[in-house]
Amino acid sequence: MPQITVSDDLYRQLEAESSEKDVTDTLWKMVGSYRRSNNPESDTA
C-alpha cells in the first residue's frame, strides 16, 4: 500500500473528520474524492 505523509495540522483535521472511524479510511476516501474531481478518467477501466 502506498504511503501518504501529511502535516500535523492536516492530521488533526483528519482526526476531527474521522470521529469514530479510522483515520486511514477517511484519508483514502478523501484522496479518492480528490482524484475523481481532478481527473475523472482515473477511475474508468
Side-chain angles (χ1 to χ4, degrees), residues 1-39:
M1 179 182 286
Q3 206 173 26
I4 297 174
T5 304
V6 298
S7 68
D8 289 339
D9 289 338
L10 179 55
Y11 190 79
R12 282 191 288 279
Q13 290 177 359
L14 288 168
E15 285 182 317
E17 287 294 319
S18 300
S19 58
E20 298 294 321
K21 295 181 262 177
D22 184 23
V23 172
T24 303
D25 289 342
T26 301
L27 180 59
W28 281 112
K29 287 177 186 176
M30 291 172 74
V31 167
S33 177
Y34 176 85
R35 183 176 160 202
R36 284 188 297 280
S37 67
N38 288 286
N39 185 9

PDB file of all heavy atoms in Angstrom, residues 1-39:
ATOM      1  N   MET A   1       0.846  -1.164   0.000  1.00  0.00           N
ATOM      2  CA  MET A   1       0.000   0.000   0.000  1.00  0.00           C
ATOM      3  C   MET A   1       0.899   1.236   0.000  1.00  0.00           C
ATOM      4  O   MET A   1       1.853   1.306   0.755  1.00  0.00           O
ATOM      5  CB  MET A   1      -0.905  -0.013   1.237  1.00  0.00           C
ATOM      6  CG  MET A   1      -1.796   1.202   1.315  1.00  0.00           C
ATOM      7  SD  MET A   1      -2.844   1.283   2.775  1.00  0.00           S
ATOM      8  CE  MET A   1      -4.050   0.055   2.390  1.00  0.00           C
ATOM      9  N   PRO A   2       0.561   2.226  -0.833  1.00  0.00           N
ATOM     10  CA  PRO A   2       1.366   3.450  -0.850  1.00  0.00           C
ATOM     11  C   PRO A   2       1.310   4.161   0.494  1.00  0.00           C
ATOM     12  O   PRO A   2       0.357   4.005   1.257  1.00  0.00           O
ATOM     13  CB  PRO A   2       0.702   4.317  -1.915  1.00  0.00           C
ATOM     14  CG  PRO A   2      -0.226   3.433  -2.651  1.00  0.00           C
ATOM     15  CD  PRO A   2      -0.507   2.257  -1.801  1.00  0.00           C
ATOM     16  N   GLN A   3       2.309   4.939   0.744  1.00  0.00           N
ATOM     17  CA  GLN A   3       2.376   5.683   1.992  1.00  0.00           C
ATOM     18  C   GLN A   3       2.041   7.146   1.706  1.00  0.00           C
ATOM     19  O   GLN A   3       2.489   7.709   0.707  1.00  0.00           O
ATOM     20  CB  GLN A   3       3.783   5.586   2.554  1.00  0.00           C
ATOM     21  CG  GLN A   3       3.857   5.749   4.022  1.00  0.00           C
ATOM     22  CD  GLN A   3       5.258   5.470   4.539  1.00  0.00           C
ATOM     23  OE1 GLN A   3       6.237   5.618   3.832  1.00  0.00           O
ATOM     24  NE2 GLN A   3       5.342   5.071   5.771  1.00  0.00           N
ATOM     25  N   ILE A   4       1.239   7.748   2.568  1.00  0.00           N
ATOM     26  CA  ILE A   4       0.882   9.154   2.428  1.00  0.00           C
ATOM     27  C   ILE A   4       1.398   9.883   3.653  1.00  0.00           C
ATOM     28  O   ILE A   4       1.128   9.482   4.787  1.00  0.00           O
ATOM     29  CB  ILE A   4      -0.647   9.332   2.305  1.00  0.00           C
ATOM     30  CG1 ILE A   4      -1.146   8.640   1.047  1.00  0.00           C
ATOM     31  CG2 ILE A   4      -1.012  10.807   2.297  1.00  0.00           C
ATOM     32  CD1 ILE A   4      -2.643   8.644   0.917  1.00  0.00           C
ATOM     33  N   THR A   5       2.135  10.955   3.427  1.00  0.00           N
ATOM     34  CA  THR A   5       2.658  11.757   4.517  1.00  0.00           C
ATOM     35  C   THR A   5       1.898  13.072   4.556  1.00  0.00           C
ATOM     36  O   THR A   5       1.747  13.725   3.529  1.00  0.00           O
ATOM     37  CB  THR A   5       4.157  12.038   4.304  1.00  0.00           C
ATOM     38  OG1 THR A   5       4.842  10.784   4.151  1.00  0.00           O
ATOM     39  CG2 THR A   5       4.753  12.794   5.466  1.00  0.00           C
ATOM     40  N   VAL A   6       1.397  13.429   5.732  1.00  0.00           N
ATOM     41  CA  VAL A   6       0.644  14.674   5.891  1.00  0.00           C
ATOM     42  C   VAL A   6       1.207  15.471   7.054  1.00  0.00           C
ATOM     43  O   VAL A   6       1.858  14.925   7.947  1.00  0.00           O
ATOM     44  CB  VAL A   6      -0.864  14.412   6.126  1.00  0.00           C
ATOM     45  CG1 VAL A   6      -1.481  13.702   4.941  1.00  0.00           C
ATOM     46  CG2 VAL A   6      -1.098  13.614   7.386  1.00  0.00           C
ATOM     47  N   SER A   7       0.941  16.767   7.047  1.00  0.00           N
ATOM     48  CA  SER A   7       1.403  17.630   8.138  1.00  0.00           C
ATOM     49  C   SER A   7       0.610  17.327   9.407  1.00  0.00           C
ATOM     50  O   SER A   7      -0.465  16.726   9.362  1.00  0.00           O
ATOM     51  CB  SER A   7       1.224  19.099   7.754  1.00  0.00           C
ATOM     52  OG  SER A   7      -0.162  19.407   7.690  1.00  0.00           O
ATOM     53  N   ASP A   8       1.133  17.774  10.527  1.00  0.00           N
ATOM     54  CA  ASP A   8       0.433  17.585  11.811  1.00  0.00           C
ATOM     55  C   ASP A   8      -0.931  18.276  11.793  1.00  0.00           C
ATOM     56  O   ASP A   8      -1.906  17.740  12.310  1.00  0.00           O
ATOM     57  CB  ASP A   8       1.276  18.112  12.966  1.00  0.00           C
ATOM     58  CG  ASP A   8       2.490  17.240  13.244  1.00  0.00           C
ATOM     59  OD1 ASP A   8       2.482  16.053  12.847  1.00  0.00           O
ATOM     60  OD2 ASP A   8       3.445  17.747  13.863  1.00  0.00           O
ATOM     61  N   ASP A   9      -0.985  19.476  11.214  1.00  0.00           N
ATOM     62  CA  ASP A   9      -2.252  20.209  11.148  1.00  0.00           C
ATOM     63  C   ASP A   9      -3.298  19.432  10.343  1.00  0.00           C
ATOM     64  O   ASP A   9      -4.446  19.316  10.757  1.00  0.00           O
ATOM     65  CB  ASP A   9      -2.062  21.591  10.526  1.00  0.00           C
ATOM     66  CG  ASP A   9      -1.315  22.544  11.446  1.00  0.00           C
ATOM     67  OD1 ASP A   9      -1.307  22.315  12.679  1.00  0.00           O
ATOM     68  OD2 ASP A   9      -0.739  23.517  10.925  1.00  0.00           O
ATOM     69  N   LEU A  10      -2.885  18.920   9.197  1.00  0.00           N
ATOM     70  CA  LEU A  10      -3.823  18.155   8.367  1.00  0.00           C
ATOM     71  C   LEU A  10      -4.236  16.873   9.086  1.00  0.00           C
ATOM     72  O   LEU A  10      -5.406  16.478   9.047  1.00  0.00           O
ATOM     73  CB  LEU A  10      -3.208  17.827   7.010  1.00  0.00           C
ATOM     74  CG  LEU A  10      -4.076  17.003   6.065  1.00  0.00           C
ATOM     75  CD1 LEU A  10      -5.440  17.668   5.839  1.00  0.00           C
ATOM     76  CD2 LEU A  10      -3.370  16.783   4.749  1.00  0.00           C
ATOM     77  N   TYR A  11      -3.314  16.245   9.777  1.00  0.00           N
ATOM     78  CA  TYR A  11      -3.645  15.017  10.507  1.00  0.00           C
ATOM     79  C   TYR A  11      -4.693  15.287  11.584  1.00  0.00           C
ATOM     80  O   TYR A  11      -5.628  14.521  11.758  1.00  0.00           O
ATOM     81  CB  TYR A  11      -2.394  14.382  11.118  1.00  0.00           C
ATOM     82  CG  TYR A  11      -2.674  13.007  11.656  1.00  0.00           C
ATOM     83  CD1 TYR A  11      -2.747  11.914  10.806  1.00  0.00           C
ATOM     84  CD2 TYR A  11      -2.895  12.801  13.012  1.00  0.00           C
ATOM     85  CE1 TYR A  11      -3.031  10.643  11.281  1.00  0.00           C
ATOM     86  CE2 TYR A  11      -3.182  11.535  13.502  1.00  0.00           C
ATOM     87  CZ  TYR A  11      -3.242  10.468  12.635  1.00  0.00           C
ATOM     88  OH  TYR A  11      -3.532   9.225  13.122  1.00  0.00           O
ATOM     89  N   ARG A  12      -4.557  16.407  12.279  1.00  0.00           N
ATOM     90  CA  ARG A  12      -5.557  16.778  13.290  1.00  0.00           C
ATOM     91  C   ARG A  12      -6.925  17.013  12.642  1.00  0.00           C
ATOM     92  O   ARG A  12      -7.956  16.642  13.192  1.00  0.00           O
ATOM     93  CB  ARG A  12      -5.104  18.009  14.074  1.00  0.00           C
ATOM     94  CG  ARG A  12      -4.055  17.664  15.123  1.00  0.00           C
ATOM     95  CD  ARG A  12      -3.809  18.805  16.077  1.00  0.00           C
ATOM     96  NE  ARG A  12      -3.076  19.913  15.470  1.00  0.00           N
ATOM     97  CZ  ARG A  12      -1.762  19.955  15.314  1.00  0.00           C
ATOM     98  NH1 ARG A  12      -1.028  18.925  15.718  1.00  0.00           N
ATOM     99  NH2 ARG A  12      -1.184  20.993  14.779  1.00  0.00           N
ATOM    100  N   GLN A  13      -6.939  17.607  11.449  1.00  0.00           N
ATOM    101  CA  GLN A  13      -8.194  17.802  10.723  1.00  0.00           C
ATOM    102  C   GLN A  13      -8.796  16.459  10.334  1.00  0.00           C
ATOM    103  O   GLN A  13     -10.009  16.255  10.423  1.00  0.00           O
ATOM    104  CB  GLN A  13      -7.975  18.647   9.470  1.00  0.00           C
ATOM    105  CG  GLN A  13      -7.668  20.094   9.767  1.00  0.00           C
ATOM    106  CD  GLN A  13      -7.381  20.882   8.503  1.00  0.00           C
ATOM    107  OE1 GLN A  13      -7.394  20.358   7.398  1.00  0.00           O
ATOM    108  NE2 GLN A  13      -7.098  22.163   8.672  1.00  0.00           N
ATOM    109  N   LEU A  14      -7.948  15.530   9.920  1.00  0.00           N
ATOM    110  CA  LEU A  14      -8.423  14.192   9.560  1.00  0.00           C
ATOM    111  C   LEU A  14      -9.020  13.484  10.771  1.00  0.00           C
ATOM    112  O   LEU A  14     -10.063  12.846  10.678  1.00  0.00           O
ATOM    113  CB  LEU A  14      -7.278  13.342   8.992  1.00  0.00           C
ATOM    114  CG  LEU A  14      -6.804  13.715   7.604  1.00  0.00           C
ATOM    115  CD1 LEU A  14      -5.500  12.995   7.295  1.00  0.00           C
ATOM    116  CD2 LEU A  14      -7.853  13.385   6.575  1.00  0.00           C
ATOM    117  N   GLU A  15      -8.356  13.612  11.903  1.00  0.00           N
ATOM    118  CA  GLU A  15      -8.879  13.007  13.128  1.00  0.00           C
ATOM    119  C   GLU A  15     -10.254  13.584  13.467  1.00  0.00           C
ATOM    120  O   GLU A  15     -11.170  12.852  13.849  1.00  0.00           O
ATOM    121  CB  GLU A  15      -7.926  13.226  14.292  1.00  0.00           C
ATOM    122  CG  GLU A  15      -6.699  12.347  14.252  1.00  0.00           C
ATOM    123  CD  GLU A  15      -5.808  12.568  15.454  1.00  0.00           C
ATOM    124  OE1 GLU A  15      -5.588  13.725  15.849  1.00  0.00           O
ATOM    125  OE2 GLU A  15      -5.337  11.554  16.003  1.00  0.00           O
ATOM    126  N   ALA A  16     -10.400  14.888  13.312  1.00  0.00           N
ATOM    127  CA  ALA A  16     -11.677  15.535  13.618  1.00  0.00           C
ATOM    128  C   ALA A  16     -12.775  15.058  12.662  1.00  0.00           C
ATOM    129  O   ALA A  16     -13.911  14.808  13.078  1.00  0.00           O
ATOM    130  CB  ALA A  16     -11.529  17.052  13.537  1.00  0.00           C
ATOM    131  N   GLU A  17     -12.451  14.904  11.392  1.00  0.00           N
ATOM    132  CA  GLU A  17     -13.424  14.438  10.399  1.00  0.00           C
ATOM    133  C   GLU A  17     -13.765  12.970  10.587  1.00  0.00           C
ATOM    134  O   GLU A  17     -14.863  12.539  10.267  1.00  0.00           O
ATOM    135  CB  GLU A  17     -12.885  14.650   8.978  1.00  0.00           C
ATOM    136  CG  GLU A  17     -12.879  16.077   8.523  1.00  0.00           C
ATOM    137  CD  GLU A  17     -14.271  16.655   8.371  1.00  0.00           C
ATOM    138  OE1 GLU A  17     -15.167  15.940   7.866  1.00  0.00           O
ATOM    139  OE2 GLU A  17     -14.465  17.805   8.766  1.00  0.00           O
ATOM    140  N   SER A  18     -12.819  12.206  11.096  1.00  0.00           N
ATOM    141  CA  SER A  18     -12.998  10.768  11.231  1.00  0.00           C
ATOM    142  C   SER A  18     -13.880  10.403  12.412  1.00  0.00           C
ATOM    143  O   SER A  18     -14.542   9.376  12.398  1.00  0.00           O
ATOM    144  CB  SER A  18     -11.644  10.074  11.402  1.00  0.00           C
ATOM    145  OG  SER A  18     -10.843  10.317  10.290  1.00  0.00           O
ATOM    146  N   SER A  19     -13.905  11.213  13.428  1.00  0.00           N
ATOM    147  CA  SER A  19     -14.609  10.985  14.690  1.00  0.00           C
ATOM    148  C   SER A  19     -14.401   9.546  15.154  1.00  0.00           C
ATOM    149  O   SER A  19     -13.346   9.202  15.640  1.00  0.00           O
ATOM    150  CB  SER A  19     -16.070  11.381  14.606  1.00  0.00           C
ATOM    151  OG  SER A  19     -16.750  10.687  13.591  1.00  0.00           O
ATOM    152  N   GLU A  20     -15.370   8.682  14.977  1.00  0.00           N
ATOM    153  CA  GLU A  20     -15.268   7.296  15.446  1.00  0.00           C
ATOM    154  C   GLU A  20     -14.625   6.369  14.411  1.00  0.00           C
ATOM    155  O   GLU A  20     -14.287   5.241  14.711  1.00  0.00           O
ATOM    156  CB  GLU A  20     -16.655   6.759  15.802  1.00  0.00           C
ATOM    157  CG  GLU A  20     -17.323   7.514  16.923  1.00  0.00           C
ATOM    158  CD  GLU A  20     -16.592   7.351  18.253  1.00  0.00           C
ATOM    159  OE1 GLU A  20     -16.125   6.243  18.528  1.00  0.00           O
ATOM    160  OE2 GLU A  20     -16.499   8.335  18.992  1.00  0.00           O
ATOM    161  N   LYS A  21     -14.491   6.832  13.189  1.00  0.00           N
ATOM    162  CA  LYS A  21     -13.954   5.987  12.121  1.00  0.00           C
ATOM    163  C   LYS A  21     -12.432   6.000  12.120  1.00  0.00           C
ATOM    164  O   LYS A  21     -11.795   6.827  12.752  1.00  0.00           O
ATOM    165  CB  LYS A  21     -14.470   6.461  10.761  1.00  0.00           C
ATOM    166  CG  LYS A  21     -15.964   6.315  10.594  1.00  0.00           C
ATOM    167  CD  LYS A  21     -16.381   6.773   9.246  1.00  0.00           C
ATOM    168  CE  LYS A  21     -16.889   8.191   9.348  1.00  0.00           C
ATOM    169  NZ  LYS A  21     -17.258   8.807   8.139  1.00  0.00           N
ATOM    170  N   ASP A  22     -11.874   5.108  11.354  1.00  0.00           N
ATOM    171  CA  ASP A  22     -10.421   5.013  11.219  1.00  0.00           C
ATOM    172  C   ASP A  22      -9.909   6.180  10.367  1.00  0.00           C
ATOM    173  O   ASP A  22     -10.447   6.458   9.298  1.00  0.00           O
ATOM    174  CB  ASP A  22     -10.076   3.671  10.567  1.00  0.00           C
ATOM    175  CG  ASP A  22      -8.593   3.440  10.463  1.00  0.00           C
ATOM    176  OD1 ASP A  22      -7.826   4.044  11.238  1.00  0.00           O
ATOM    177  OD2 ASP A  22      -8.179   2.628   9.603  1.00  0.00           O
ATOM    178  N   VAL A  23      -8.867   6.849  10.829  1.00  0.00           N
ATOM    179  CA  VAL A  23      -8.291   7.982  10.104  1.00  0.00           C
ATOM    180  C   VAL A  23      -7.800   7.536   8.719  1.00  0.00           C
ATOM    181  O   VAL A  23      -7.970   8.253   7.735  1.00  0.00           O
ATOM    182  CB  VAL A  23      -7.140   8.620  10.919  1.00  0.00           C
ATOM    183  CG1 VAL A  23      -6.407   9.662  10.110  1.00  0.00           C
ATOM    184  CG2 VAL A  23      -7.674   9.220  12.205  1.00  0.00           C
ATOM    185  N   THR A  24      -7.212   6.356   8.638  1.00  0.00           N
ATOM    186  CA  THR A  24      -6.703   5.864   7.361  1.00  0.00           C
ATOM    187  C   THR A  24      -7.826   5.731   6.338  1.00  0.00           C
ATOM    188  O   THR A  24      -7.671   6.152   5.186  1.00  0.00           O
ATOM    189  CB  THR A  24      -5.989   4.504   7.551  1.00  0.00           C
ATOM    190  OG1 THR A  24      -4.942   4.668   8.505  1.00  0.00           O
ATOM    191  CG2 THR A  24      -5.414   4.003   6.241  1.00  0.00           C
ATOM    192  N   ASP A  25      -8.959   5.177   6.736  1.00  0.00           N
ATOM    193  CA  ASP A  25     -10.093   5.054   5.820  1.00  0.00           C
ATOM    194  C   ASP A  25     -10.566   6.422   5.344  1.00  0.00           C
ATOM    195  O   ASP A  25     -10.841   6.622   4.163  1.00  0.00           O
ATOM    196  CB  ASP A  25     -11.261   4.318   6.486  1.00  0.00           C
ATOM    197  CG  ASP A  25     -10.981   2.846   6.695  1.00  0.00           C
ATOM    198  OD1 ASP A  25     -10.056   2.304   6.044  1.00  0.00           O
ATOM    199  OD2 ASP A  25     -11.689   2.227   7.515  1.00  0.00           O
ATOM    200  N   THR A  26     -10.653   7.362   6.269  1.00  0.00           N
ATOM    201  CA  THR A  26     -11.076   8.715   5.919  1.00  0.00           C
ATOM    202  C   THR A  26     -10.104   9.350   4.940  1.00  0.00           C
ATOM    203  O   THR A  26     -10.508   9.982   3.960  1.00  0.00           O
ATOM    204  CB  THR A  26     -11.198   9.585   7.187  1.00  0.00           C
ATOM    205  OG1 THR A  26     -12.144   8.973   8.063  1.00  0.00           O
ATOM    206  CG2 THR A  26     -11.655  10.995   6.851  1.00  0.00           C
ATOM    207  N   LEU A  27      -8.817   9.181   5.183  1.00  0.00           N
ATOM    208  CA  LEU A  27      -7.802   9.746   4.299  1.00  0.00           C
ATOM    209  C   LEU A  27      -7.923   9.180   2.893  1.00  0.00           C
ATOM    210  O   LEU A  27      -7.898   9.923   1.915  1.00  0.00           O
ATOM    211  CB  LEU A  27      -6.401   9.491   4.865  1.00  0.00           C
ATOM    212  CG  LEU A  27      -5.237  10.024   4.047  1.00  0.00           C
ATOM    213  CD1 LEU A  27      -5.339  11.528   3.874  1.00  0.00           C
ATOM    214  CD2 LEU A  27      -3.923   9.666   4.711  1.00  0.00           C
ATOM    215  N   TRP A  28      -8.082   7.865   2.762  1.00  0.00           N
ATOM    216  CA  TRP A  28      -8.184   7.262   1.437  1.00  0.00           C
ATOM    217  C   TRP A  28      -9.453   7.693   0.716  1.00  0.00           C
ATOM    218  O   TRP A  28      -9.459   7.885  -0.491  1.00  0.00           O
ATOM    219  CB  TRP A  28      -8.099   5.736   1.523  1.00  0.00           C
ATOM    220  CG  TRP A  28      -6.666   5.300   1.673  1.00  0.00           C
ATOM    221  CD1 TRP A  28      -6.103   4.733   2.766  1.00  0.00           C
ATOM    222  CD2 TRP A  28      -5.618   5.441   0.709  1.00  0.00           C
ATOM    223  NE1 TRP A  28      -4.761   4.521   2.540  1.00  0.00           N
ATOM    224  CE2 TRP A  28      -4.446   4.942   1.284  1.00  0.00           C
ATOM    225  CE3 TRP A  28      -5.565   5.946  -0.580  1.00  0.00           C
ATOM    226  CZ2 TRP A  28      -3.230   4.931   0.612  1.00  0.00           C
ATOM    227  CZ3 TRP A  28      -4.342   5.936  -1.250  1.00  0.00           C
ATOM    228  CH2 TRP A  28      -3.203   5.431  -0.653  1.00  0.00           C
ATOM    229  N   LYS A  29     -10.547   7.892   1.463  1.00  0.00           N
ATOM    230  CA  LYS A  29     -11.775   8.397   0.837  1.00  0.00           C
ATOM    231  C   LYS A  29     -11.555   9.806   0.303  1.00  0.00           C
ATOM    232  O   LYS A  29     -12.013  10.149  -0.788  1.00  0.00           O
ATOM    233  CB  LYS A  29     -12.931   8.380   1.838  1.00  0.00           C
ATOM    234  CG  LYS A  29     -13.435   6.985   2.106  1.00  0.00           C
ATOM    235  CD  LYS A  29     -14.532   6.995   3.144  1.00  0.00           C
ATOM    236  CE  LYS A  29     -14.924   5.583   3.516  1.00  0.00           C
ATOM    237  NZ  LYS A  29     -15.916   5.545   4.595  1.00  0.00           N
ATOM    238  N   MET A  30     -10.841  10.620   1.072  1.00  0.00           N
ATOM    239  CA  MET A  30     -10.554  11.984   0.633  1.00  0.00           C
ATOM    240  C   MET A  30      -9.649  11.977  -0.597  1.00  0.00           C
ATOM    241  O   MET A  30      -9.853  12.756  -1.527  1.00  0.00           O
ATOM    242  CB  MET A  30      -9.904  12.772   1.767  1.00  0.00           C
ATOM    243  CG  MET A  30     -10.849  13.058   2.914  1.00  0.00           C
ATOM    244  SD  MET A  30     -10.024  13.775   4.341  1.00  0.00           S
ATOM    245  CE  MET A  30      -9.721  15.431   3.739  1.00  0.00           C
ATOM    246  N   VAL A  31      -8.657  11.120  -0.604  1.00  0.00           N
ATOM    247  CA  VAL A  31      -7.747  11.017  -1.753  1.00  0.00           C
ATOM    248  C   VAL A  31      -8.532  10.582  -2.991  1.00  0.00           C
ATOM    249  O   VAL A  31      -8.366  11.144  -4.076  1.00  0.00           O
ATOM    250  CB  VAL A  31      -6.586  10.040  -1.467  1.00  0.00           C
ATOM    251  CG1 VAL A  31      -5.819   9.690  -2.737  1.00  0.00           C
ATOM    252  CG2 VAL A  31      -5.651  10.613  -0.416  1.00  0.00           C
ATOM    253  N   GLY A  32      -9.410   9.592  -2.836  1.00  0.00           N
ATOM    254  CA  GLY A  32     -10.221   9.130  -3.962  1.00  0.00           C
ATOM    255  C   GLY A  32     -11.146  10.212  -4.484  1.00  0.00           C
ATOM    256  O   GLY A  32     -11.294  10.388  -5.691  1.00  0.00           O
ATOM    257  N   SER A  33     -11.750  10.956  -3.583  1.00  0.00           N
ATOM    258  CA  SER A  33     -12.640  12.051  -3.974  1.00  0.00           C
ATOM    259  C   SER A  33     -11.863  13.130  -4.728  1.00  0.00           C
ATOM    260  O   SER A  33     -12.309  13.624  -5.764  1.00  0.00           O
ATOM    261  CB  SER A  33     -13.296  12.640  -2.726  1.00  0.00           C
ATOM    262  OG  SER A  33     -14.097  13.736  -3.063  1.00  0.00           O
ATOM    263  N   TYR A  34     -10.703  13.492  -4.221  1.00  0.00           N
ATOM    264  CA  TYR A  34      -9.857  14.484  -4.882  1.00  0.00           C
ATOM    265  C   TYR A  34      -9.458  13.997  -6.274  1.00  0.00           C
ATOM    266  O   TYR A  34      -9.532  14.732  -7.246  1.00  0.00           O
ATOM    267  CB  TYR A  34      -8.613  14.760  -4.037  1.00  0.00           C
ATOM    268  CG  TYR A  34      -7.642  15.697  -4.708  1.00  0.00           C
ATOM    269  CD1 TYR A  34      -7.809  17.072  -4.597  1.00  0.00           C
ATOM    270  CD2 TYR A  34      -6.575  15.211  -5.455  1.00  0.00           C
ATOM    271  CE1 TYR A  34      -6.930  17.937  -5.225  1.00  0.00           C
ATOM    272  CE2 TYR A  34      -5.701  16.072  -6.084  1.00  0.00           C
ATOM    273  CZ  TYR A  34      -5.881  17.434  -5.969  1.00  0.00           C
ATOM    274  OH  TYR A  34      -5.010  18.282  -6.601  1.00  0.00           O
ATOM    275  N   ARG A  35      -9.070  12.739  -6.340  1.00  0.00           N
ATOM    276  CA  ARG A  35      -8.622  12.171  -7.616  1.00  0.00           C
ATOM    277  C   ARG A  35      -9.743  12.185  -8.647  1.00  0.00           C
ATOM    278  O   ARG A  35      -9.539  12.560  -9.794  1.00  0.00           O
ATOM    279  CB  ARG A  35      -8.133  10.743  -7.363  1.00  0.00           C
ATOM    280  CG  ARG A  35      -7.578  10.055  -8.556  1.00  0.00           C
ATOM    281  CD  ARG A  35      -7.051   8.711  -8.156  1.00  0.00           C
ATOM    282  NE  ARG A  35      -6.943   7.871  -9.321  1.00  0.00           N
ATOM    283  CZ  ARG A  35      -6.910   6.571  -9.289  1.00  0.00           C
ATOM    284  NH1 ARG A  35      -6.975   5.950  -8.128  1.00  0.00           N
ATOM    285  NH2 ARG A  35      -6.818   5.873 -10.377  1.00  0.00           N
ATOM    286  N   ARG A  36     -10.943  11.788  -8.238  1.00  0.00           N
ATOM    287  CA  ARG A  36     -12.079  11.776  -9.169  1.00  0.00           C
ATOM    288  C   ARG A  36     -12.444  13.181  -9.624  1.00  0.00           C
ATOM    289  O   ARG A  36     -12.756  13.392 -10.789  1.00  0.00           O
ATOM    290  CB  ARG A  36     -13.287  11.092  -8.526  1.00  0.00           C
ATOM    291  CG  ARG A  36     -13.170   9.581  -8.492  1.00  0.00           C
ATOM    292  CD  ARG A  36     -14.460   8.939  -8.040  1.00  0.00           C
ATOM    293  NE  ARG A  36     -14.815   9.319  -6.673  1.00  0.00           N
ATOM    294  CZ  ARG A  36     -14.304   8.784  -5.573  1.00  0.00           C
ATOM    295  NH1 ARG A  36     -13.386   7.840  -5.667  1.00  0.00           N
ATOM    296  NH2 ARG A  36     -14.691   9.171  -4.381  1.00  0.00           N
ATOM    297  N   SER A  37     -12.390  14.142  -8.717  1.00  0.00           N
ATOM    298  CA  SER A  37     -12.780  15.507  -9.089  1.00  0.00           C
ATOM    299  C   SER A  37     -11.748  16.204  -9.951  1.00  0.00           C
ATOM    300  O   SER A  37     -12.070  17.092 -10.723  1.00  0.00           O
ATOM    301  CB  SER A  37     -13.099  16.340  -7.843  1.00  0.00           C
ATOM    302  OG  SER A  37     -11.934  16.551  -7.089  1.00  0.00           O
ATOM    303  N   ASN A  38     -10.496  15.787  -9.852  1.00  0.00           N
ATOM    304  CA  ASN A  38      -9.439  16.425 -10.624  1.00  0.00           C
ATOM    305  C   ASN A  38      -9.009  15.633 -11.857  1.00  0.00           C
ATOM    306  O   ASN A  38      -8.313  16.159 -12.709  1.00  0.00           O
ATOM    307  CB  ASN A  38      -8.217  16.681  -9.731  1.00  0.00           C
ATOM    308  CG  ASN A  38      -8.484  17.788  -8.761  1.00  0.00           C
ATOM    309  OD1 ASN A  38      -8.504  18.945  -9.141  1.00  0.00           O
ATOM    310  ND2 ASN A  38      -8.755  17.440  -7.519  1.00  0.00           N
ATOM    311  N   ASN A  39      -9.432  14.382 -11.932  1.00  0.00           N
ATOM    312  CA  ASN A  39      -9.103  13.549 -13.083  1.00  0.00           C
ATOM    313  C   ASN A  39     -10.181  12.475 -13.220  1.00  0.00           C
ATOM    314  O   ASN A  39      -9.956  11.326 -12.849  1.00  0.00           O
ATOM    315  CB  ASN A  39      -7.717  12.907 -12.890  1.00  0.00           C
ATOM    316  CG  ASN A  39      -7.279  12.133 -14.103  1.00  0.00           C
ATOM    317  OD1 ASN A  39      -7.909  12.194 -15.151  1.00  0.00           O
ATOM    318  ND2 ASN A  39      -6.199  11.375 -13.966  1.00  0.00           N
TER     319      ASN A  39
END
